[in-house]
Amino acid sequence: MSWQILAMYAVALVFALVGAGLLLALARPRSEGQVYAFRMIGIMALAGGIVLAMSATAMWQWSMEG
């Protein structure tokens, strides 16, 4: 596995953890603006982490074929 793929997995993990953390932070009472921001940023970061992990997995599989 190349360092580029490992870097993609590392960034994907950070995005997923930040996104999940923001969504879990909604369990506490928040202002209306915070709820909107945490929800929007949390969902986008979590989705970005998932997509980046899928891309890294595809790159890893393609690099093993050749």
Side-chain angles (χ1 to χ4, degrees):
M1 184 180 307
S2 69
W3 68 270
Q4 293 96 340
I5 296 171
L6 289 173
M8 286 177 69
Y9 277 125
V11 173
L13 179 63
V14 170
F15 279 1
L17 289 177
V18 168
L22 286 170
L23 293 174
L24 289 173
L26 292 172
R28 295 187 183 141
R30 301 282 176 193
S31 71
E32 188 175 319
Q34 285 178 325
V35 168
Y36 177 79
F38 283 24
R39 192 179 295 163
M40 183 66 67
I41 297 168
I43 289 171
M44 294 300 287
L46 187 58
I50 291 168
V51 169
L52 190 56
M54 290 189 312
S55 296
T57 301
M59 279 183 63
W60 185 23
Q61 289 175 347
W62 291 334
S63 70
M64 291 175 49
E65 289 177 8

